[in-house]
Amino acid sequence: MDNFADERDFKILEEDKHTFFVLRRIIAGECKLLLTDHERLIICHTNNPFPVWIWTPDDVLKEEKERAYALVKENGLLTEGHTFNMKYNLADYFIVRASEDAKTLSLSTNMFAYDCPNPIEPDTRADGELHRCVAEDIDEVVEFMDLFHKETGIDQESLEAYRHKGEGAIRYGSLFLWENAEGRNVSSCNFRPNGDMASVGLVYTRKEYRRKHYAENLVYQVTKIAKDAGFVPMLYTDADYVASNACYEKIGYILRGKLCTLG
């Protein structure tokens, strides 16, 4: 196994470019752990609190599943606090093997991966308008990021880390809020380009302003901005949030792949 990624890894991930969009991005940067044979297995972990990503092909063999499990175990990742993103066929194997080692792994999140080649304008127009964030919005951006991560329970970081990331997104021009008719910023959304695709995320609406179509209108407009900039917009969702997924599908998102998180 090598500790570096090259064009072979990006080529094989092209087959799973929706479900493993994030992995394509993170193997291009600095990783705490990167193991790859450039053909059938990639294991990648940036650092805590982020998940360990494990890519295997759809036709993964039993001995390849065992190899993946053994490498994860050898590198000390089967400890409390680590989570793993992988395909379901590998997840089933990991759950059984962990139990044989007197460890417990269980499915914590079912994820859908969507893309949106042709955004569809919402049927209902929300009051207010899109606001592209500027430097003066950073405090509110940090608040939205903190609220989003606390509610989803994933990838929680410090306020300082959110500020650093928020400032970068503002400089790039990819972070947006929805300002309602009363002048209150009620929803957030961003997009992150990688190659020819852009991941739409940070979709959060303040609890007291939900069910007013703010997020639907905001995500549509951010999706359109990303599309008009030459990217194919995509996003991950919790598969069990039926209402949210229906909202995304209404504005043109198409289900392209499935994966899961073990914890």
Side-chain angles (χ1 to χ4, degrees), residues 205 209-214:
T205 301
Y209 292 101
R210 293 178 182 175
R211 295 184 175 84
K212 298 180 183 293
H213 302 281
Y214 292 131

Side-chain angles (χ1 to χ4, degrees), residues 106-129:
S106 60
L107 194 153
S108 61
T109 307
N110 297 294
M111 289 193 289
F112 284 165
Y114 289 86
D115 76 1
C116 187
N118 296 295
I120 300 170
E121 188 171 0
D123 294 331
T124 303
R125 177 72 166 84
D127 67 89
E129 61 185 3

Side-chain angles (χ1 to χ4, degrees), residues 128-134 136-145 170 174-180 184-190 202 204 206 214 218 221-222:
E129 61 185 3
L130 179 79
H131 170 68
R132 189 188 296 264
C133 294
V134 295
E136 289 74 20
D137 297 313
I138 187 59
D139 288 339
E140 193 157 23
V141 164
V142 171
E143 181 185 4
F144 269 104
M145 296 176 80
I170 289 172
S174 61
L175 207 158
F176 302 84
L177 299 174
W178 189 269
E179 182 180 317
N180 71 2
R184 170 77 157 148
N185 288 321
V186 295
S187 290
S188 64
C189 185
N190 68 4
L202 193 64
Y204 182 84
R206 296 182 185 277
Y214 292 131
L218 176 55
Q221 293 208 25
V222 173

